[in-house]
Structures are given as structure tokens and as C-alpha cells.
Amino acid sequence: MSEREEQVRVNQSLAWVGTATALMGVGDVATKAVLLAIWITPEEYGVATLALAAIPILDLATELGLPGALVQQGDHTPARLSTVFWLNLLLSLTIVAAIFFVVAPLLASHYQAPIVGWMLQAHCVKLLLQNLYMVPGALMIRELRFREFSLIRFLASVAENVALLVAAPLVGIWCFIAGAIGRTLVTTAGVQYFQPWLPRLLFDWAATREAVLFGLKTSFSRILFFVYTGLDFYIVGHFFGRTALGLYKAAADLALDPARIISTVVVSVAFPAFSRARGRPAVLAEQFLKLSRLSFIVVAGFLVIVVPAAPDLLLLLDAQWVGAAVAVRVLAIAALLRALSAVVPPLLDGVGRPSLTLTYMAVAAVTMPLWFAIAAVLLGDRLGYASVAWAWVIGYPIAFWVLLRFALRHLEIGAGRYAAAMLRLALWTGLAIAAGTVARALVAGVELPVVRALAAAGAAMATFVALLVVAEGITPRSLSAALKPPPRDAEPAIE
């Protein structure tokens, strides 16, 4: 496969994953809006957050990064694949035991909410089921089969949202458990349909040892990521209570979830792309800059709508959620940096340097929780739970710079070149948000919040798109050209 063909494969993968993710995002936002507007109060949402904020960490702990090792490395034997499955299953059983007898009782006791422990224990069903799709799913990703994988993810998202809406009026916040299990069942069925695979009674430690060592480094890095991006919820709950936590979580859903979703897209496509190009520095550098810009543009495109319209969007749910608007606007700053930082770990992992990612994650996992706690103690009396949001703005740029330095040093890209590629996008984002804010001010006298929200969002998005077209040359034609395969060489004439 030529470099041009490989780049087209990456672009097409991004298109499929991005389209599926956008559709999923719309469905997820609509579903969550219905839940919060009708059935879930801020206090109940806070309780659910205490139970579920640790779930990403537990999910990663059950796989130990082994599926990622299958993506990074090729030449897989049936013995190696089966060994990965049995190791994952053993880890899952160990984590389930820890949840039942240690984690769930401790959280329930600390926050004086038994339901927190019960929900964690119920989530163990999902932890066990996901073993059935991890290995075949990794094989699909390795081959960049994102068309099928995106369809699976979309159908799984639909199943989750249907389960949430059906279960919410019946069992309240237990609907989140029903949704997670519904998503896992559909994912398992879809992956097994497109990539049928079942483990054999084989165990080859010698052939799998290298993958385990690689997986340990990458999984610890991702676990540490979810530690420092999830502890803010527990700190808000500890210092400010469940209702404040529900409002903070709603703000994070609006401001930080786009960055989280984009990071999923980027990691899915970037990791195999970087792994394939690991021996070609120029290609790596070009892919890194393109994916960084793409991550920023997509997240910024969502935030230019959310930031100026935040109070009205929350008011459409219910007046009890409007207080989260301040935190939304503060967290949006961190969201842009998190969109950029999402590109670096798959780069370092893909080129065989997961130890650098682990170093960064370890530093961030120590420093960011300290920032959260210090901000809550020093600023909590004046800013309330928004003080923790400000900790993101103060502390995360430092952590991001450490991570970025690792990437630039490996790629031999100057900081000036990187800054030039990103600062223009930041300027267009700021101008678009300003346009949305002005538009909202012009219709401030209108009583209907939906009108104010549409005015702010429409002006901001129109400005953002216009600036991308005029200043960056990003048009439908340019996007279409990036997805077209190169022309085949003409067949030699037969004389």
C-alpha cells in the first residue's frame, strides 16, 4: 500500500468514525436531555455520577491494554489471540471480585449512599460481557475496518439510548446500568457477526509476553488518564454535595464530553495509522498535525454553539439546571486542550514509546487532583463547585505542555510550527464565540429561550464555518478530494 493510499484509508476511516460519532453524539445528547428534563434531578444525577465515574477505570483495568497490543503488533497466532482472551477474562473476574468486596462498599460508606455500591456491582455484568468482543474488535481495528466498526458502534449507541428511555420512567437512575448493558450486548453481536471469533483452549505465555508488557504500559497510561479526569467528580461530591455534583456533571457533559468523544475517534483511527507509519518520520509528522487540527476543529465546532447559548440550552431542560452555565464556559477552555492532547498518546504508543505516555499520565494523575482539591478549599466559598472547573483551566495547560513536548521531540517538530498550525484555529474559535454572544445579546429581550439559543448558536456556527472556508480553505470539495483514492496507473498498451 502506497503512502497516498494509506492516507486515504486513514481519511476514510476518520470519515466513517466521525460520521458515526456525530450521529451518536446527537442521539446521546437528545436522550440525556430528555432524561434530565423529565426523570432525573440534579441530586439523582449526582448519585449516579458517584457510582459511574469510576467505570472507565474499571473497564480499562479488565483489559490491561491487551487489545491495543493486538492493534499495534501484527502476525497473530491462534494461541496468542486465545491467550489474550483468557488473560482478559481472568482480569475481569479479579476486578469484579474487587468491586463487590472492596470498591463498592467503600464508596457507599464514604458518601452514605448504598445505591452507589449497588449500581457499581450491577455494572459488573457489562465488565464480563465485553470480553466477547475485545479480541475480534481489535482485529477489525488493526485492519482499519472502520466502516463496519462504525456501524456497530452506531447501532450499539441506539440500543443504549432506547434502553435508557425505556428504563428511566420505571427504575430511575438504574437506567444507566440498563443502557450500558444494552450497548455491550449489541456491540458483542455486531463484532461477532463481522469478525467471527471464539477462543480456543490454548495458552502460550511466551508468544504473548511482549504484548502483555506493551499492554501494561498503555493500559496504565489510560487508567491514569481516567483517574485525573474523573476525580474532579468525587472532589465536587465530597466538598459540595450531590446536587452540586449533578450540576457539575451536566456542565461537563456539555463542555468536556465533545473532547472525550473526539478522543475516542482519534484514538480509534490514529493508533493503527501511527503504528503503520512508525518507520516514516515525515509521514508521522504530517499525520500528527492533521489529526491535531481535525480534533481541534470538531471540538471547537461544538463549543462555539454551546458556550454562548449555554444558559438557554440548560433552561430548555429545566430552570434547576441553569446554574451549570458558568461551569460550562470555564470547562470549555480545558476541552480544547484535551482535544489536542488526545492525539499524542496514540502517537507515542504507535511508535513504541508508551513509557513516555505513562510518565505524563503519572504526573497528571498526581498534580490535577491536587489542583482540584486546592481550588475547592481556597475558592469554594466564593465560586462554589465552579472552583473545580477553574482548576482545569489553571492546571491542565501545564500537564498538556509536558505531553506535547514528548511528541514534538520525537517528531522533530518545532514548537513554532505546531503553534502556527493551532493558534489560527483558536482565534477563529474565539471570534465565533464572540459573534454568538453578540447575537444572543441582541435578542435578550425575547422570552423564548429556544429563540435566544438558536440565534446564538446560528451566528456562532456561521461565523466559524465562514472563517474555516476563507482562512483555512476547508470546503466540501477539499474534504471530498482527501477521501478519493489516487488514480491507478494506466495499463500498458498491448502491441
Side-chain angles (χ1 to χ4, degrees), residues 69-307:
L70 296 181
V71 175
Q72 201 266 350
Q73 301 170 357
D75 190 25
H76 300 304
T77 63
R80 179 181 293 175
L81 295 177
S82 295
T83 302
V84 168
F85 173 84
W86 296 118
L87 286 173
N88 275 340
L89 182 60
L90 178 61
L91 283 168
S92 298
L93 294 172
T94 303
I95 296 299
V96 166
I99 290 173
F100 264 84
F101 299 110
V102 180
V103 179
L106 284 177
L107 283 177
S109 175
H110 179 75
Y111 292 101
Q112 298 181 349
I115 191 174
V116 170
W118 300 336
M119 291 182 71
L120 262 178
Q121 291 168 342
H123 190 80
C124 291
V125 175
K126 187 257 186 189
L127 296 180
L128 294 174
L129 285 174
Q130 67 188 18
N131 287 288
L132 296 175
Y133 69 77
M134 281 185 178
V135 171
L139 296 177
M140 292 180 68
I141 292 173
R142 169 71 187 179
E143 298 303 319
L144 297 178
R145 294 173 58 191
F146 285 100
R147 180 175 181 174
E148 298 97 329
F149 204 74
S150 298
L151 175 61
I152 294 168
R153 292 178 65 241
F154 174 73
L155 294 176
S157 176
V158 171
E160 179 180 26
N161 289 329
V162 170
L164 285 169
L165 293 173
V166 170
L170 301 175
V171 294
I173 59 175
W174 283 93
C175 66
F176 295 109
I177 301 298
I181 294 176
R183 175 187 285 265
T184 305
L185 289 172
V186 173
T187 301
T188 300
V191 170
Q192 287 290 346
Y193 176 80
F194 286 108
Q195 182 72 43
W197 183 88
L198 291 174
R200 302 181 185 180
L201 293 176
L202 300 173
F203 194 92
D204 187 349
W205 170 252
T208 315
R209 180 176 178 275
E210 184 179 352
V212 171
L213 294 177
F214 179 88
L216 281 171
K217 294 178 181 179
T218 57
S219 64
F220 283 157
S221 297
R222 295 177 65 196
I223 288 171
L224 290 173
F225 168 79
F226 282 108
V227 166
Y228 81 79
T229 58
L231 277 179
D232 54 340
F233 296 124
Y234 292 103
I235 289 174
V236 171
H238 176 77
F239 282 97
F240 305 105
R242 301 173 192 173
T243 299
L245 175 57
L247 293 171
Y248 181 84
K249 180 62 167 63
D253 290 342
L254 272 178
L256 294 180
D257 260 17
R260 178 187 59 79
I261 294 171
I262 292 304
S263 71
T264 302
V265 175
V266 170
V267 170
S268 297
V269 178
F271 182 45
F274 289 144
S275 297
R276 288 171 174 268
R278 61 188 301 182
R280 293 168 288 166
V283 175
L284 275 176
E286 188 67 22
Q287 286 184 348
F288 176 74
L289 290 175
K290 284 184 177 180
L291 288 172
S292 296
R293 285 171 56 83
L294 178 63
S295 293
F296 191 99
I297 288 171
V298 176
V299 172
F302 189 84
L303 292 177
V304 297
I305 295 174
V306 168
V307 171

Side-chain angles (χ1 to χ4, degrees), residues 427-442:
L427 176 60
W428 311 148
T429 303
L431 291 175
I433 291 174
T437 303
V438 170
R440 183 174 182 270
L442 293 176

